[in-house]
Amino acid sequence: MRLVANKWSKFSVLLGHAGAAKHIPNMRRFSASNLKAMLRQYAFVVAKPIIGTGGSSVLKIKKTGNRYLLHNSGSKRIYRSWKELFSTLNQIRKNRPFMLQQGIDLATIDGRPLDYRVKLKKMGRSWIIRAVVGRLARPGLFVTNLCQGGTLLKGTHALRRTFPASLVKSKFDTMCGVARTCTMRLESRYPGIGMLGYDFGIDKKGNVWIFEVNTKPH
């Protein structure tokens, strides 16, 4: 079964499809100028390794006035200067290629961010949706990964706890439909993939976003 580790490559394939692209947060490669520009544009920015799993080294960066807030795993730290912040980011990166993603203000349960994993598996010639689950971040964290203490919820149950009942089916169907569209696109670019896991986030306004695509979903 084929594995594709590079997040940037997978997103580049999906950005070529208008239907998928509108669900992808703005992203750029990690650099000082790109981070500065995105912090001016968005409430916060997420930095993550281009190759990596499990939510490790996923950073949340926010600018308030002349200060910068860095949220790394369970720790939050305020930096009074850009130089200090950027030096810390480079220590965490250790020369690994990182990407920057527009921060999305996720719908929450009891103040804890929530996202979704949609898993597909190739059975014979067709792709079957095997699971749709919600993942609730551990208190104090912004990443929802189960290996970081996140809680697993049934997908429809998680949706019902965050949106009116009348919207649950449409949000569920949107995630599944987008996942199917992306799967066709990725399979044509990477023949031989047999499993896919999509990480979706739904913001407080109800917009559906794709955060990641895994070819080896847990």
Side-chain angles (χ1 to χ4, degrees), residues 1-27:
M1 201 188 301
R2 185 169 184 182
L3 302 179
V4 184
N6 189 304
K7 294 172 189 169
W8 191 268
S9 305
K10 288 177 279 193
F11 275 123
S12 301
V13 171
L14 298 180
L15 284 166
H17 184 285
K22 66 181 184 187
H23 295 283
I24 296 174
N26 186 6
M27 51 184 232

Side-chain angles (χ1 to χ4, degrees), residues 104-124:
I104 302 295
D105 193 16
L106 289 174
T108 58
I109 295 175
D110 301 330
R112 294 158 62 183
L114 172 74
D115 70 8
Y116 296 85
R117 166 68 62 91
V118 178
K119 272 192 196 177
L120 290 93
K121 186 174 167 88
K122 188 151 197 197
M123 313 282 278

Side-chain angles (χ1 to χ4, degrees), residues 22-184:
K22 66 181 184 187
H23 295 283
I24 296 174
N26 186 6
M27 51 184 232
R28 299 191 191 183
R29 289 187 182 272
F30 182 92
S31 72
S33 57
N34 282 344
L35 179 56
K36 276 184 175 169
M38 288 180 81
L39 284 170
R40 281 196 294 271
Q41 201 175 350
Y42 303 111
F44 68 94
V45 175
V46 173
K48 58 172 87 165
I50 285 179
I51 295 172
T53 59
S56 63
S57 302
V58 176
L59 313 170
K60 180 178 174 180
I61 306 153
K62 185 180 172 84
K63 185 173 195 273
T64 44
N66 292 322
R67 296 180 178 193
Y68 300 92
L69 174 69
L70 175 62
H71 198 155
N72 176 13
S73 191
S75 73
K76 290 181 185 175
R77 191 170 159 200
I78 289 171
Y79 295 86
R80 293 170 189 277
S81 76
W82 169 260
K83 192 177 167 188
E84 205 185 344
L85 168 76
F86 206 73
S87 157
T88 301
L89 293 176
N90 280 331
Q91 284 167 22
I92 295 168
R93 274 195 330 123
K94 301 186 179 80
N95 285 329
R96 292 173 295 166
F98 265 49
M99 60 189 278
L100 301 169
Q101 239 176 14
Q102 163 192 353
I104 302 295
D105 193 16
L106 289 174
T108 58
I109 295 175
D110 301 330
R112 294 158 62 183
L114 172 74
D115 70 8
Y116 296 85
R117 166 68 62 91
V118 178
K119 272 192 196 177
L120 290 93
K121 186 174 167 88
K122 188 151 197 197
M123 313 282 278
R125 297 181 63 176
S126 48
W127 285 87
I128 309 294
I129 292 179
R130 297 294 300 273
V132 180
V133 296
R135 303 185 308 174
L136 188 61
R138 195 176 94 206
L141 292 193
F142 71 93
V143 294
T144 60
N145 304 71
L146 304 182
C147 57
Q148 304 263 357
T151 305
L152 202 59
L153 302 170
K154 199 176 164 193
T156 47
H157 173 70
L159 286 165
R160 278 199 295 269
R161 289 186 64 184
T162 39
F163 292 101
S166 58
L167 293 179
V168 169
K169 186 177 185 312
S170 72
K171 300 299 169 205
F172 189 90
D173 291 349
T174 298
M175 288 191 286
C176 292
V178 172
R180 286 193 180 282
T181 299
C182 293
T183 297
M184 298 307 118

